[in-house]
């Protein structure tokens, strides 16, 4: 009975994903692509059968240096991101909604950024997420790590802990140069940010300051964990356990 319920919930989530993708405005996310019996891929995002997670493929694009992102779209700002993902941000947003995640409003982020005052960024709101990154090392062994472990915090001088969660902030809609409504993350390519970025789909709950202000702020690549540039990766995103309140 439980297995049947899981299959049904997965089907319903997938149907919602497609519906949300259309009503949400995720234009050009593409048709579902089946692959060897796996759940179909839409806009580069594969919703898992249980409806409680998703997968995105990509590659390592930076193995050392200052970071603004953990992930951007391919051919996006790869020079300040660990990963480049093969997905459309609006498709990711739709898939997160389908698996039950709730985006937090971002106007507070935008007001804060516009003011550029010397004050702490507003608290992130939205569903907490667990993000893991998988790849095969040079010996062919599969590595699984939480996305936070890709980050070295220059303030604390430590690898970022998983107690600092990822938040589904959800980007926002704006107008392009032609006056057309667009999902901002689709334009600027921000997928998973480690600075206060209202345009990103996902933000880190607490950032470490602006890495360009001085050498004691922000994040850099954790070179002890991140594999070489070009290494294929799979990113899995699931809701945080219910025991962790939002």
């Amino acid at each position: 009975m439980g297995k049947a319920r899981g299959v049904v919930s997965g089907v319903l989530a997938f149907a919602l994903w497609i519906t949300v993708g259309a009503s949400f405005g995720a234009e050009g996310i593409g048709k579902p692509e089946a692959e060897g019996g796996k759940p179909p891929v839409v806009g580069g995002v594969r919703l898992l059968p249980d409806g409680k997670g998703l997968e995105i493929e990509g590659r390592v694009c930076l193995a050392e240096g200052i970071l603004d992102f953990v992930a951007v779209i391919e051919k996006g700002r790869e020079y300040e991101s660990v990963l480049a993902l093969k997905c459309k941000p609006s498709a990711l947003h739709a898939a997160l909604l389908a698996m039950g995640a709730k985006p937090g409003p971002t106007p507070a982020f935008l007001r804060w950024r516009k003011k550029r005052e010397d004050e702490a960024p507003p608290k992130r709101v939205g569903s907490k997420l667990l993000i893991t990154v998988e790849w095969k090392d040079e010996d062919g062994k599969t590595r699984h790590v939480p996305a936070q472990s890709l980050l070295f915090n220059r303030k604390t001088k430590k690898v970022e802990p998983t107690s600092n969660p990822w938040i589904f902030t959800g980007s926002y809609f704006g107008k392009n140069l032609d006056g057309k409504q667009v999902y901002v993350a689709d334009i600027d390519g921000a997928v998973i940010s480690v600075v206060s970025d209202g345009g990103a789909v996902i933000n880190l709950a607490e950032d470490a300051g602006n890495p360009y202000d001085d050498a004691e702020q922000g994040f850099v690549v954790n070179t002890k964990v991140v594999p070489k540039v070009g290494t294929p990766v799979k990113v899995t995103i699931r809701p945080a356990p219910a025991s962790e309140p939002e």
Side-chain angles (χ1 to χ4, degrees), residues 9-189:
S9 65
V11 171
L12 290 176
F14 176 71
L16 174 61
W17 179 27
I18 300 300
T19 303
V20 167
S23 61
F24 177 70
E27 298 181 4
I29 63 174
K31 297 180 179 179
E33 298 178 9
E35 180 185 330
K38 295 180 180 180
V41 177
V42 178
V45 182
R46 174 180 286 114
L47 194 65
L48 298 179
D50 61 6
K52 298 179 181 179
L54 57 88
E55 294 177 344
I56 307 169
E57 294 183 353
R59 58 178 169 78
V60 174
C61 57
L62 190 67
E64 62 178 337
I66 289 174
L67 297 171
D68 275 0
F69 306 95
V70 159
V72 297
I73 61 172
E74 286 192 315
K75 298 182 180 179
R77 286 173 279 177
E78 297 187 10
Y79 54 88
E80 52 189 2
S81 174
V82 184
L83 309 175
L85 299 182
K86 302 175 181 178
C87 75
K88 193 173 182 68
S90 52
L92 170 58
H93 186 123
L96 288 168
L97 292 177
M99 75 179 199
K102 298 178 181 179
T106 57
F109 280 120
L110 302 180
R111 288 195 298 272
W112 174 76
R113 288 177 65 84
K114 188 175 182 179
K115 289 179 182 177
R116 296 185 181 279
E117 294 179 354
D118 294 330
E119 60 183 46
K123 183 179 180 181
R124 277 67 158 175
V125 291
S127 292
K128 293 181 181 180
L129 304 170
L130 298 179
I131 303 177
T132 59
V133 183
E134 174 186 323
W135 71 90
K136 289 187 181 297
D137 63 21
E138 294 180 352
D139 296 323
K141 296 181 180 179
T142 301
R143 294 282 307 276
H144 298 267
V145 301
Q148 289 93 332
S149 70
L150 306 180
L151 309 172
F152 183 82
N153 189 319
R154 299 203 296 184
K155 275 188 175 181
T156 65
K157 310 301 182 186
K158 297 179 180 179
V159 175
E160 194 63 10
T162 55
S163 56
N164 187 10
W166 301 102
I167 306 293
F168 177 26
T169 47
S171 193
Y172 62 99
F173 280 94
K175 291 185 178 181
N176 63 13
L177 296 177
D178 297 323
K180 183 180 179 181
Q181 284 282 107
V182 294
Y183 185 66
V184 170
D186 283 345
I187 303 303
D188 67 17

